[in-house]
Amino acid sequence: MEFISQFKKTFTSGKTRSVEWRHGQLLALKQMLEENEKSIYQALHDDLGKCEFESHISEYAFVLKDIALFLKKTKTWAKTRNVSTPLLLQPGHSKITPEPLGTVLIMGAWNYPLQLVLSPLVAALAAGNCVVLKPSELSVATSKLLAELVPKYLDKSAVAVYEGDVAATTELLKQRFDHIMYTGSEAVGKIVMRAASEYLTPVTLELGGKSPCIVDNNTNLKVTAARIIWGKFINAGQTCIAPDYILVTPLMREPLIKALQQALIKQFGRDPKQSEDYGRIINDRHFQRISGYLKENEERLIIGGQTDKKTKYIAPTLIFNPELTSPIMEEEIFGPLLPIIEIASMDKAIQFINDREKPLALYLFSNDDLTIKMVKNETSSGTLSINDTLTFMLNSDFPFGGVGHSGMGSYHGKWGFDTFSHFKPILHKSFFADMPMRYAPYSNWKQKIFKFLAKF
Ligand code: NAD
């Protein structure tokens, strides 16, 4: 792949290291977004039936906000900083300099097809790298649009969009990169990691899994329901951090179900198919997969369950107590079905979560300090979000990423800059005062002085 050898030349030329080049690329990306806002909304609508507001907040404005932050901070983050120098290394200077890695590969998933490639791109460019973008082939329209726009606006000698299916991606993964950031499923994450191991390429894996949502007895039910419905059914449930299922006590079950039903009708109407704000399923394969979960749980439906194969519509659906060993509870749902599981107590809820893989996000709705403390201290997840869903993504001071099976590494804000940088320590010693103690023969007096000086 010729463009990869070209990128190596660009990188070794030093061009991408200058802060001016990085700023220039970020400004060009900003211009690309602003001049093509409508086409971006259209592509996202074509791929996922996303309404403009949803596309705006979760994709378009999200990336613009990232660009603004990096334009403001890159110069500071890219600076070499002094660190202290121990007595043994005196006279000398110690510094740490962030250096770009080289050529990085960014592979995105289809559910937020713009944000998931452009947000890492912002961080990788700001860190001074050459970048190959691989958008998901499932979000056809957005992938095509990116392939058309990126070369028009960004430096072609350092940034490229590579489109293609599994076979093409397999070829791409045979190339040598300096870092790979992959967003997608656990299964493909393993393939990516295996391919990366060939050259010992470091990877950041942004994966998924089941993100549980605990509703405590002591909570503001109306707001809880509204926030769960919003976080679950935005993008028709195709969000990696969407609440996958709810855990609730028998006492709260009925009031919660009632509040969820009310919130659902309030947000999407009695027939969500008519709502302009409700999305569609990405493709037939995923439509069939989610419809399969529905079929297995026909008798457990609380509300929803309607589908339309032609338009890939699946209604927002609440399901009560599915079998814990059935696919809907063993696989990530990644669609608009929300199981509600009755659980005896908060202790049992914690045990339920700890019996499974560590989630990307864990949600807790509670007004009780003790419960909050317990969940915080006794569970592990990529992020813990108390009393809200999804919005933690808006805090660019937070690292975004998983733990255990939900992923490795992180990005967003400075965390993204760090992911795409190597922090190189530089020790600069003076030739003056060359201490003889370290050289053999190691006499007693030398050892004594050395041990004493090493304390400082
Ligand atoms: P996908 O099918 O679009 O795959 C993602 C990327 O992997 C694409 O670029 C695709 O070309 C490539 N790919 C697919 N199969 C491959 C193979 N066999 N070999 C090499 N490359 C291959 O996306 P997906 O996997 O369906 O994504 C859904 C998953 O992603 C869910 O689990 C979701 O939770 C997770 N996700 C995570 C995040 C996050 O930020 N942590 C964000 C979005 C989605």
Side-chain angles (χ1 to χ4, degrees):
M1 289 179 197
E2 210 172 301
F3 62 95
I4 296 179
S5 350
Q6 167 60 48
F7 285 8
K8 289 214 157 78
K9 282 187 201 145
T10 305
F11 187 72
T12 38
S13 78
K15 181 186 192 181
T16 66
R17 287 179 183 253
S18 85
V19 171
E20 290 69 36
W21 182 87
R22 305 182 197 190
H23 271 184
Q25 292 306 295
L26 294 179
L27 287 169
L29 189 59
K30 182 169 181 267
Q31 190 185 355
M32 178 187 112
L33 290 170
E34 287 170 348
E35 287 180 0
N36 297 281
E37 185 176 354
K38 289 286 162 206
S39 325
I40 289 169
Y41 294 151
Q42 187 59 52
L44 293 168
H45 188 270
D46 291 350
D47 284 331
L48 288 143
K50 278 194 199 198
C51 68
E52 204 170 295
F53 180 67
E54 220 179 278
S55 294
H56 181 84
I57 56 166
S58 65
E59 307 239 28
Y60 179 82
F62 191 95
V63 181
L64 276 181
K65 190 169 163 260
D66 254 6
I67 295 175
L69 176 76
F70 277 88
L71 279 171
K72 200 166 138 204
K73 298 282 190 179
T74 296
K75 201 169 167 197
T76 311
W77 291 341
K79 267 193 185 136
T80 298
R81 58 216 71 157
N82 291 322
V83 292
S84 64
T85 308
L87 193 60
L88 268 182
L89 301 184
Q90 298 288 358
H93 261 112
S94 302
K95 296 175 183 198
I96 297 176
T97 194
E99 62 175 24
L101 300 172
T103 299
V104 304
L105 169 63
I106 294 170
M107 296 173 68
W110 50 264
N111 57 332
Y112 290 87
L114 187 88
Q115 187 229 109
L116 293 175
V117 286
L118 294 193
S119 181
L121 172 69
V122 170
L125 288 174
N129 295 285
C130 297
V131 186
V132 178
L133 293 178
K134 166 63 186 70
S136 172
E137 67 277 20
L138 303 192
S139 37
V140 186
T142 313
S143 175
K144 197 162 157 262
L145 185 67
L146 285 170
E148 183 193 312
L149 295 180
V150 167
K152 273 194 203 158
Y153 287 85
L154 299 188
D155 183 343
K156 283 202 276 293
S157 72
V159 186
V161 176
Y162 179 92
E163 284 195 288
D165 57 9
V166 172
T169 316
T170 307
E171 279 310 301
L172 183 65
L173 283 169
K174 287 182 188 158
Q175 309 304 309
R176 182 171 185 165
F177 293 98
D178 298 290
H179 192 97
I180 299 176
M181 174 175 279
Y182 166 80
T183 301
S185 65
E186 201 180 305
V188 179
K190 288 181 189 172
I191 297 174
V192 171
M193 204 168 168
R194 230 173 271 136
S197 73
E198 184 62 31
Y199 294 111
L200 294 177
T201 302
V203 291
T204 302
L205 300 179
E206 295 285 343
L207 310 177
K210 293 178 93 62
S211 292
C213 177
I214 308 172
V215 179
D216 184 24
N217 292 352
N218 179 354
T219 190
N220 177 328
L221 209 51
K222 198 170 166 203
V223 179
T224 297
R227 290 178 182 175
I228 294 176
I229 292 295
W230 177 75
K232 176 69 188 187
F233 297 113
I234 195 168
N235 202 20
Q238 301 162 109
T239 302
C240 56
I241 48 170
D244 190 272
Y245 59 87
I246 296 175
L247 297 175
V248 65
T249 62
L251 185 74
M252 276 300 269
R253 188 192 77 196
E254 280 313 315
L256 177 69
I257 288 177
K258 205 166 151 217
L260 288 170
Q261 282 175 308
Q262 281 167 353
L264 186 53
I265 292 167
K266 198 163 174 203
Q267 290 181 35
F268 297 107
R270 288 197 178 274
D271 180 9
K273 198 176 176 191
Q274 307 307 325
S275 165
E276 284 186 0
D277 301 328
Y278 186 67
R280 296 295 182 266
I281 304 305
I282 183 77
N283 61 16
D284 288 333
R285 182 167 64 83
H286 283 281
F287 178 86
Q288 295 301 347
R289 179 182 63 79
I290 302 163
S291 301
Y293 296 147
L294 264 180
K295 228 182 217 124
E296 281 167 14
N297 289 284
E298 264 165 359
E299 279 125 54
R300 298 180 174 91
L301 297 189
I302 300 168
I303 188 172
Q306 302 80 5
T307 64
D308 177 15
K309 192 168 182 292
K310 211 166 126 218
T311 56
K312 298 191 281 293
Y313 166 79
I314 297 183
T317 301
L318 304 181
I319 297 173
F320 182 63
N321 265 355
E323 288 290 336
L324 295 184
T325 51
S326 64
I328 194 171
M329 285 311 295
E330 292 205 319
E331 297 164 6
E332 178 181 359
I333 298 171
F334 219 51
L337 316 183
L338 180 57
I340 298 164
I341 315 282
E342 206 175 72
I343 203 98
S345 63
M346 282 301 114
D347 282 327
K348 292 272 182 226
I350 289 173
Q351 193 185 333
F352 189 98
I353 289 158
N354 289 339
D355 283 346
R356 289 160 176 78
E357 296 296 348
K358 291 180 182 178
L360 185 57
L362 171 58
Y363 297 107
L364 168 67
F365 285 86
S366 176
N367 257 329
D368 181 62
D369 289 345
L370 212 66
T371 305
I372 293 173
K373 197 171 159 196
M374 212 164 80
V375 172
K376 194 172 77 185
N377 293 341
E378 295 175 26
T379 62
S380 174
S381 52
T383 300
L384 169 64
S385 173
I386 301 158
N387 298 337
D388 206 353
T389 58
L390 315 192
T391 49
F392 64 85
M393 292 280 284
L394 298 175
N395 187 346
S396 48
D397 283 341
F398 279 159
F400 176 66
V403 56
H405 274 225
S406 54
M408 61 181 74
S410 62
Y411 70 121
H412 287 182
K414 173 80 162 60
W415 303 91
F417 183 90
D418 292 359
T419 288
F420 291 113
S421 301
H422 165 59
F423 287 83
K424 182 167 77 180
I426 303 174
L427 173 68
H428 189 156
K429 284 268 299 191
S430 162
F431 286 118
F432 174 70
D434 188 34
M435 284 198 273
M437 290 84 70
R438 66 164 162 187
Y439 301 123
Y442 304 122
S443 62
N444 273 349
W445 72 267
K446 279 185 181 175
Q447 287 187 45
K448 266 190 197 148
I449 296 177
F450 190 93
K451 281 177 188 167
F452 176 72
L453 291 177
K455 291 179 186 161
F456 303 96

